[in-house]
Amino acid sequence: MSIFEDEDAVREAYIAVRSDSADVNWVALTYQDKQLTVAGTGVEYDEFLSLCGDDERTYGYVRIMTGDEMSRRSKFAFITWIGSSVSPLKKAKVSTDKAFVKQIFSEFGKELLSDDQKEITYDKVKAILEKASGAAYGTGK
């Protein structure tokens, strides 16, 4: 039995986030029974954060625009969310399941693990991606 309820749907959502022509900036996977399913895709980062509840285990793949007036670039982050109310047994399962998710969510600039939404706000994730991407040559506008 696959870890994914519908692996093709997961791949399609990942491709949509990576595509410059699709209006999709994130995909979130959550558990339905013992399988991962696409819980949502969207444009607004706050919609993604709303799927990161205290009793949830969520795998997110997000696109964030970085750069300056000289160069705009899409950067990607892989976020693993483990809510503070998740049982220890379910927390442990995340480490093995994450390996299967990363086979699909394979290209990202930074990987983050969090149980505190303050650590994965849009501004914090953007700052982490910008720091990881190297030099910035613009004037900051």
Side-chain angles (χ1 to χ4, degrees), residues 45 64 118-130:
Y45 188 83
I64 294 183
K118 293 176 190 153
E119 295 175 356
I120 57 169
T121 64
Y122 178 85
D123 290 336
K124 285 207 176 183
V125 174
K126 182 176 181 179
I128 290 167
L129 288 171
E130 286 175 336

PDB file of all heavy atoms in Angstrom, residues 45 64 118-130:
ATOM      1  N   TYR A  45      -0.177  32.535   1.186  1.00  0.00           N
ATOM      2  CA  TYR A  45       0.591  31.761   2.159  1.00  0.00           C
ATOM      3  C   TYR A  45      -0.201  31.519   3.443  1.00  0.00           C
ATOM      4  O   TYR A  45      -0.092  30.456   4.055  1.00  0.00           O
ATOM      5  CB  TYR A  45       1.910  32.483   2.456  1.00  0.00           C
ATOM      6  CG  TYR A  45       2.867  31.675   3.292  1.00  0.00           C
ATOM      7  CD1 TYR A  45       3.693  30.716   2.707  1.00  0.00           C
ATOM      8  CD2 TYR A  45       2.948  31.862   4.668  1.00  0.00           C
ATOM      9  CE1 TYR A  45       4.572  29.979   3.470  1.00  0.00           C
ATOM     10  CE2 TYR A  45       3.826  31.123   5.433  1.00  0.00           C
ATOM     11  CZ  TYR A  45       4.637  30.175   4.832  1.00  0.00           C
ATOM     12  OH  TYR A  45       5.506  29.437   5.594  1.00  0.00           O
ATOM     13  N   ILE A  64       8.213  31.101  -3.061  1.00  0.00           N
ATOM     14  CA  ILE A  64       8.287  32.477  -2.581  1.00  0.00           C
ATOM     15  C   ILE A  64       9.168  33.260  -3.550  1.00  0.00           C
ATOM     16  O   ILE A  64      10.261  32.813  -3.905  1.00  0.00           O
ATOM     17  CB  ILE A  64       8.840  32.531  -1.143  1.00  0.00           C
ATOM     18  CG1 ILE A  64       7.836  31.857  -0.204  1.00  0.00           C
ATOM     19  CG2 ILE A  64       9.140  33.970  -0.727  1.00  0.00           C
ATOM     20  CD1 ILE A  64       8.180  31.872   1.249  1.00  0.00           C
ATOM     21  N   LYS A 118       5.115  30.690  14.402  1.00  0.00           N
ATOM     22  CA  LYS A 118       5.940  31.895  14.368  1.00  0.00           C
ATOM     23  C   LYS A 118       7.253  31.644  13.625  1.00  0.00           C
ATOM     24  O   LYS A 118       7.872  32.574  13.124  1.00  0.00           O
ATOM     25  CB  LYS A 118       6.229  32.394  15.786  1.00  0.00           C
ATOM     26  CG  LYS A 118       4.999  32.890  16.506  1.00  0.00           C
ATOM     27  CD  LYS A 118       5.333  33.278  17.928  1.00  0.00           C
ATOM     28  CE  LYS A 118       4.057  33.528  18.711  1.00  0.00           C
ATOM     29  NZ  LYS A 118       4.203  33.304  20.122  1.00  0.00           N
ATOM     30  N   GLU A 119       7.686  30.387  13.573  1.00  0.00           N
ATOM     31  CA  GLU A 119       8.926  30.039  12.888  1.00  0.00           C
ATOM     32  C   GLU A 119       8.752  29.907  11.377  1.00  0.00           C
ATOM     33  O   GLU A 119       9.740  29.905  10.649  1.00  0.00           O
ATOM     34  CB  GLU A 119       9.477  28.718  13.430  1.00  0.00           C
ATOM     35  CG  GLU A 119       9.902  28.766  14.875  1.00  0.00           C
ATOM     36  CD  GLU A 119      10.332  27.406  15.391  1.00  0.00           C
ATOM     37  OE1 GLU A 119      10.226  26.399  14.656  1.00  0.00           O
ATOM     38  OE2 GLU A 119      10.765  27.340  16.549  1.00  0.00           O
ATOM     39  N   ILE A 120       7.515  29.784  10.925  1.00  0.00           N
ATOM     40  CA  ILE A 120       7.284  29.562   9.492  1.00  0.00           C
ATOM     41  C   ILE A 120       6.340  30.608   8.901  1.00  0.00           C
ATOM     42  O   ILE A 120       5.622  30.327   7.950  1.00  0.00           O
ATOM     43  CB  ILE A 120       6.785  28.127   9.199  1.00  0.00           C
ATOM     44  CG1 ILE A 120       5.506  27.812   9.969  1.00  0.00           C
ATOM     45  CG2 ILE A 120       7.882  27.113   9.458  1.00  0.00           C
ATOM     46  CD1 ILE A 120       4.824  26.521   9.526  1.00  0.00           C
ATOM     47  N   THR A 121       6.367  31.817   9.449  1.00  0.00           N
ATOM     48  CA  THR A 121       5.602  32.895   8.832  1.00  0.00           C
ATOM     49  C   THR A 121       6.187  33.174   7.445  1.00  0.00           C
ATOM     50  O   THR A 121       7.344  32.824   7.162  1.00  0.00           O
ATOM     51  CB  THR A 121       5.659  34.190   9.670  1.00  0.00           C
ATOM     52  OG1 THR A 121       7.018  34.649   9.700  1.00  0.00           O
ATOM     53  CG2 THR A 121       5.112  33.986  11.072  1.00  0.00           C
ATOM     54  N   TYR A 122       5.406  33.821   6.610  1.00  0.00           N
ATOM     55  CA  TYR A 122       5.869  34.143   5.265  1.00  0.00           C
ATOM     56  C   TYR A 122       7.191  34.921   5.313  1.00  0.00           C
ATOM     57  O   TYR A 122       8.141  34.580   4.606  1.00  0.00           O
ATOM     58  CB  TYR A 122       4.806  34.957   4.522  1.00  0.00           C
ATOM     59  CG  TYR A 122       5.232  35.367   3.140  1.00  0.00           C
ATOM     60  CD1 TYR A 122       5.053  34.504   2.060  1.00  0.00           C
ATOM     61  CD2 TYR A 122       5.833  36.600   2.900  1.00  0.00           C
ATOM     62  CE1 TYR A 122       5.456  34.862   0.790  1.00  0.00           C
ATOM     63  CE2 TYR A 122       6.238  36.971   1.630  1.00  0.00           C
ATOM     64  CZ  TYR A 122       6.045  36.094   0.584  1.00  0.00           C
ATOM     65  OH  TYR A 122       6.460  36.442  -0.678  1.00  0.00           O
ATOM     66  N   ASP A 123       7.246  35.941   6.146  1.00  0.00           N
ATOM     67  CA  ASP A 123       8.451  36.781   6.207  1.00  0.00           C
ATOM     68  C   ASP A 123       9.673  35.993   6.674  1.00  0.00           C
ATOM     69  O   ASP A 123      10.775  36.197   6.152  1.00  0.00           O
ATOM     70  CB  ASP A 123       8.217  37.981   7.116  1.00  0.00           C
ATOM     71  CG  ASP A 123       7.238  38.986   6.509  1.00  0.00           C
ATOM     72  OD1 ASP A 123       7.101  39.018   5.268  1.00  0.00           O
ATOM     73  OD2 ASP A 123       6.617  39.737   7.279  1.00  0.00           O
ATOM     74  N   LYS A 124       9.497  35.088   7.634  1.00  0.00           N
ATOM     75  CA  LYS A 124      10.642  34.303   8.122  1.00  0.00           C
ATOM     76  C   LYS A 124      11.124  33.322   7.058  1.00  0.00           C
ATOM     77  O   LYS A 124      12.330  33.177   6.842  1.00  0.00           O
ATOM     78  CB  LYS A 124      10.285  33.571   9.408  1.00  0.00           C
ATOM     79  CG  LYS A 124      10.232  34.509  10.584  1.00  0.00           C
ATOM     80  CD  LYS A 124      10.541  33.796  11.863  1.00  0.00           C
ATOM     81  CE  LYS A 124      10.555  34.853  12.955  1.00  0.00           C
ATOM     82  NZ  LYS A 124      10.897  34.343  14.235  1.00  0.00           N
ATOM     83  N   VAL A 125      10.191  32.656   6.395  1.00  0.00           N
ATOM     84  CA  VAL A 125      10.585  31.701   5.352  1.00  0.00           C
ATOM     85  C   VAL A 125      11.258  32.435   4.206  1.00  0.00           C
ATOM     86  O   VAL A 125      12.286  32.002   3.686  1.00  0.00           O
ATOM     87  CB  VAL A 125       9.373  30.873   4.869  1.00  0.00           C
ATOM     88  CG1 VAL A 125       9.745  29.999   3.683  1.00  0.00           C
ATOM     89  CG2 VAL A 125       8.823  30.017   6.011  1.00  0.00           C
ATOM     90  N   LYS A 126      10.719  33.590   3.827  1.00  0.00           N
ATOM     91  CA  LYS A 126      11.337  34.384   2.753  1.00  0.00           C
ATOM     92  C   LYS A 126      12.758  34.800   3.137  1.00  0.00           C
ATOM     93  O   LYS A 126      13.682  34.691   2.327  1.00  0.00           O
ATOM     94  CB  LYS A 126      10.485  35.620   2.458  1.00  0.00           C
ATOM     95  CG  LYS A 126      11.042  36.446   1.316  1.00  0.00           C
ATOM     96  CD  LYS A 126      10.140  37.613   0.975  1.00  0.00           C
ATOM     97  CE  LYS A 126      10.738  38.394  -0.190  1.00  0.00           C
ATOM     98  NZ  LYS A 126       9.912  39.528  -0.581  1.00  0.00           N
ATOM     99  N   ALA A 127      12.956  35.248   4.369  1.00  0.00           N
ATOM    100  CA  ALA A 127      14.291  35.656   4.828  1.00  0.00           C
ATOM    101  C   ALA A 127      15.265  34.479   4.805  1.00  0.00           C
ATOM    102  O   ALA A 127      16.426  34.626   4.411  1.00  0.00           O
ATOM    103  CB  ALA A 127      14.210  36.253   6.225  1.00  0.00           C
ATOM    104  N   ILE A 128      14.801  33.318   5.203  1.00  0.00           N
ATOM    105  CA  ILE A 128      15.653  32.117   5.191  1.00  0.00           C
ATOM    106  C   ILE A 128      16.043  31.766   3.765  1.00  0.00           C
ATOM    107  O   ILE A 128      17.211  31.461   3.487  1.00  0.00           O
ATOM    108  CB  ILE A 128      14.926  30.941   5.884  1.00  0.00           C
ATOM    109  CG1 ILE A 128      14.835  31.196   7.387  1.00  0.00           C
ATOM    110  CG2 ILE A 128      15.622  29.608   5.592  1.00  0.00           C
ATOM    111  CD1 ILE A 128      13.881  30.272   8.129  1.00  0.00           C
ATOM    112  N   LEU A 129      15.092  31.820   2.843  1.00  0.00           N
ATOM    113  CA  LEU A 129      15.385  31.508   1.441  1.00  0.00           C
ATOM    114  C   LEU A 129      16.327  32.540   0.825  1.00  0.00           C
ATOM    115  O   LEU A 129      17.228  32.180   0.060  1.00  0.00           O
ATOM    116  CB  LEU A 129      14.091  31.415   0.632  1.00  0.00           C
ATOM    117  CG  LEU A 129      13.236  30.185   0.899  1.00  0.00           C
ATOM    118  CD1 LEU A 129      11.879  30.320   0.215  1.00  0.00           C
ATOM    119  CD2 LEU A 129      13.942  28.919   0.431  1.00  0.00           C
ATOM    120  N   GLU A 130      16.130  33.802   1.144  1.00  0.00           N
ATOM    121  CA  GLU A 130      17.015  34.838   0.611  1.00  0.00           C
ATOM    122  C   GLU A 130      18.434  34.669   1.131  1.00  0.00           C
ATOM    123  O   GLU A 130      19.397  34.815   0.383  1.00  0.00           O
ATOM    124  CB  GLU A 130      16.478  36.228   0.960  1.00  0.00           C
ATOM    125  CG  GLU A 130      15.271  36.615   0.132  1.00  0.00           C
ATOM    126  CD  GLU A 130      14.644  37.930   0.543  1.00  0.00           C
ATOM    127  OE1 GLU A 130      14.809  38.347   1.706  1.00  0.00           O
ATOM    128  OE2 GLU A 130      13.964  38.532  -0.313  1.00  0.00           O
TER     129      GLU A 130
END
